[in-house]
Amino acid sequence: DKETHYLSKFYQKSKSERIEALVKSGVLSEESAKAFTDDLQLSAEIADSMIENQLATYQLPFGVALNFLIDDEAYAVPMAIEEPSVVAAASSAAKLFAPYGGFKTATTTRTMIGQVILTDIPDCLQAIKVLEDAEATIIQAANDAHPSIVRRGGGADVISLNHIKEDIAAGTPEFLILHLYVKTLEAMGANIINTMMEAIIPLVEELSGGKALMGILSNYATECLATATCRIPSTALATNDWSGEEVRDRIVLASHAAVVDPYRAVTHNKGIMNGIDAVVIATGNDWRAISAGVHAYASRSGQYRSLTNWSKGENGDLVGELTIPLPIGAVGGSISFHPGAKIAHELLGNPSADTLESIIVSVGLAQNFSAIRALVTDGIQRGHMALHSRSLAISAGAQGDEIMIVSEKLNQSKNMNLATAKEILESFRQ
Ligand code: NDP
């Protein structure tokens, strides 16, 4: 059992005390804790084998957001991110919601979609009929191309067809697009599906009489959705300047604004992705894939909109909800050999892909809450600039103890910028 009291006042501890607290609280093994002493370095050999023309490794700060209660389980959530405030904002939202049940989640069956895009089909309606009749043969051919996923209990199980008619005005030709639905189990499944899609191309071409343009996974993972919900009494939202009801109502208004105005929606969703990307990166997952799918999902109505919904519950509580496609993996890609990814999974108790989805979507909802609560009350700059002052101090050349001294002076100065940081540092060093 995790002993979360070791994690209290975490941010006030030194780095080594934080690592020790994670070990004491039972979320990190002694052995893994040692990996932090060399900053989770990726070995030169591994790095060289991961990409082409490799020169060095590029590092990001790796930390944990605390206080998360997700489906009645406590988590210290790993985050890899360069932006100040994100870890603090996630932790503070999680702390606020924890006494009220934290976050509850639901996930759909993890089904990924692959596509074969067909062109030059002599008779599309006829081709649709032939392909539909051959569904079992197509599925068999796909599964034969990756039998190990079938042995594990997954694999392809359904096809569907999308006929896109020629649009003379837009200058686009006719396409017939075959979708293959695949259960990739604990993997994100890009390589599994790409193998299957390329393997079925000859069969699908023969059956349709058309030509395949490509066969590949779709990152629009509409069959792999994760939802988080949370609720909190308005009394818990009061600040010195605002009543709880006012804060609740302003958060609900902010949510509406992000539904109707795409300029606001993009920034609103960027705030959600601050948390999601940080965990996706820390856990060794493909954040471009997640981002592409999430933003497409935000546009599913035809207009780009907020991904979260904040409303006033029947009893007056503030109620939040976030649903996104989350085709992440608990295995595959670099997860098994990247030292940061391995520790991130360990910190979370080596969760299944399904549980990892629940954790990530909850972090997104928490992150969004913190951002909009700050925006509709104090504004985000007060908290942000306090942390930003440390980055400015470092940019100005401050080292060691100088960083905190310069950053504290910057917090009190009227113009918090690089020039001021340099002036403070120079006068301090004289
Ligand atoms: P992998 O190619 O690493 O495949 C995952 C492997 O994990 C499977 O082949 C399987 O091995 C093994 N495995 C072990 N246990 C399980 C289990 N319980 N469930 C499922 N698989 C298991 O990874 P993915 O196919 O997930 O592809 C992800 C990678 O593809 C990412 O690195 C991504 O960046 C990249 N990619 C992304 C694209 C995109 O998003 N459009 C396109 C191309 C690549 P076994 O064979 O033994 O069953």
Side-chain angles (χ1 to χ4, degrees), residues 148-149 152 184-192 194 219 286 332-333:
S148 56
I149 196 72
R152 291 180 193 280
T184 57
L185 306 179
E186 293 302 300
M188 176 250 202
N191 289 319
I192 296 170
N194 293 347
N219 286 113
D286 183 336

Side-chain angles (χ1 to χ4, degrees), residues 3 10-11 21 37 72 79 84 92 96 104 136-137 142 153 179 183 230 254 272 288 291-292 294 304-305 315 326:
E3 298 199 45
F10 196 77
Y11 64 99
T37 51
D72 302 319
M79 289 183 146
S92 86
L96 199 60
K104 302 285 180 206
T137 315
H179 282 186
K183 304 267 184 315
C230 59
I272 297 170
R288 289 84 56 205
S291 285
V294 163
Y304 189 93
R305 296 182 194 280
N315 64 352
L326 258 185

Side-chain angles (χ1 to χ4, degrees), residues 22 27-28 36 62 64 75-76 78 342-349:
L22 289 168
V27 295
L28 186 68
F36 281 107
F62 179 102
V64 280
Y75 292 98
K342 280 202 291 195
I343 283 216
H345 284 262
E346 180 182 333
L347 284 166
L348 294 171

Side-chain angles (χ1 to χ4, degrees), residues 116-121 124 128 161-167 171-178 211 213-214:
V116 174
I117 299 187
L118 294 163
T119 60
D120 302 314
I121 307 126
C124 249
I128 290 170
L161 291 150
N162 183 14
H163 182 199
I164 297 174
K165 297 198 175 82
E166 183 181 16
D167 187 335
T172 51
E174 177 181 55
F175 291 107
L176 183 60
I177 303 179
L178 178 133
K211 289 199 186 97
L213 188 63
M214 67 180 82

Side-chain angles (χ1 to χ4, degrees), residues 227-257:
T227 298
T229 55
C230 59
R231 61 188 306 142
I232 190 166
S234 59
T235 46
L237 297 171
T239 69
N240 288 340
D241 302 328
W242 304 88
S243 75
E245 285 82 5
E246 282 174 320
V247 176
R248 176 199 63 203
D249 293 345
R250 288 171 70 78
I251 289 175
V252 172
L253 271 175
S255 176
H256 286 308

